[in-house]
Amino acid sequence: MLHSMRLSAVLVCAVLAGCAQTAPDLKTFGDDPHAMQLMPAGQATCLATSSGQNDHGAAATNAMRSAAGLPPVSPNPVLARVAAQHACDMAQRGRMTHIGSRTAGPGPRVKAAGYAPSVTAENIAAGPFSQERVLAEWNASDGHRANILIPQVRDYGIGQAIGPDGKTRFWAAVYAAPK
């Protein structure tokens, strides 16, 4: 689902839900019907996720999960690194997509990092907003909330990067459970 207040305000997309295109200048690419080219590719600012940022994201996720009677997730540094790398990849390409430059989705990225998942999901977003805002948007969106509320999920990681325009933040959150 594309939850769009305006292109410049919020663009979010969930791996388990379809996205609708609402802005006329968005383009869809390749095998990812959710891909959106937001700006030309260029040099991005890639950021490592701090343990505090990952803990904060897990706490917001756990508030939703607790309200639904689900067990909490644990902040996972491997998943945070995978999320940050994917956010960086999206930012460098100026493209919001679940498909990476070298991977078909979050599952292969998580496996390549040495995490053996039984389930993997991903929320992504791009826009000029903080971690607090992106977490609130995901919690308010049916498709994103579906990922947050996957009963089997046990681990969590979040990452961000700043696009070539210097102001658009690309976000990725990875939800997974080990085998």
Side-chain angles (χ1 to χ4, degrees), residues 19-91:
C19 292
Q21 225 171 274
T22 59
D25 58 343
L26 299 181
K27 298 177 184 174
T28 302
F29 291 89
D31 296 326
D32 183 358
H34 313 299
M36 295 176 205
Q37 190 70 38
L38 304 178
M39 66 193 64
Q43 186 170 353
T45 303
C46 299
L47 306 168
T49 304
S50 72
S51 60
Q53 289 169 322
N54 211 33
D55 291 349
H56 177 70
T61 300
N62 286 334
M64 289 294 295
R65 291 177 64 82
S66 176
L70 295 171
V73 296
S74 296
N76 183 292
V78 172
L79 296 184
R81 189 172 65 253
V82 169
Q85 289 169 347
H86 184 58
C88 179
D89 182 48
M90 289 190 298

Side-chain angles (χ1 to χ4, degrees), residues 11-176:
L11 286 174
V12 290
C13 192
V15 75
L16 294 182
C19 292
Q21 225 171 274
T22 59
D25 58 343
L26 299 181
K27 298 177 184 174
T28 302
F29 291 89
D31 296 326
D32 183 358
H34 313 299
M36 295 176 205
Q37 190 70 38
L38 304 178
M39 66 193 64
Q43 186 170 353
T45 303
C46 299
L47 306 168
T49 304
S50 72
S51 60
Q53 289 169 322
N54 211 33
D55 291 349
H56 177 70
T61 300
N62 286 334
M64 289 294 295
R65 291 177 64 82
S66 176
L70 295 171
V73 296
S74 296
N76 183 292
V78 172
L79 296 184
R81 189 172 65 253
V82 169
Q85 289 169 347
H86 184 58
C88 179
D89 182 48
M90 289 190 298
Q92 290 171 337
R93 294 183 293 151
R95 181 183 302 179
M96 189 176 70
T97 178
H98 293 289
I99 295 176
S101 293
R102 293 176 291 281
T103 59
R109 287 191 288 276
V110 167
K111 289 176 187 174
Y115 185 104
S118 61
V119 64
T120 305
E122 175 180 79
N123 285 346
I124 59 174
F129 45 85
S130 66
Q131 181 178 2
E132 192 74 27
R133 173 80 185 267
V134 77
L135 293 169
E137 293 295 334
W138 286 336
N139 287 343
S141 162
D142 291 341
H144 299 91
R145 200 168 42 253
N147 282 346
I148 293 166
L149 299 179
I150 295 171
Q152 301 86 345
V153 166
R154 296 293 176 262
D155 295 318
Y156 168 89
I158 193 166
Q160 67 174 312
I162 302 169
D165 66 356
K167 56 188 172 192
T168 302
R169 291 192 182 263
F170 287 78
W171 291 92
V174 178
Y175 310 87

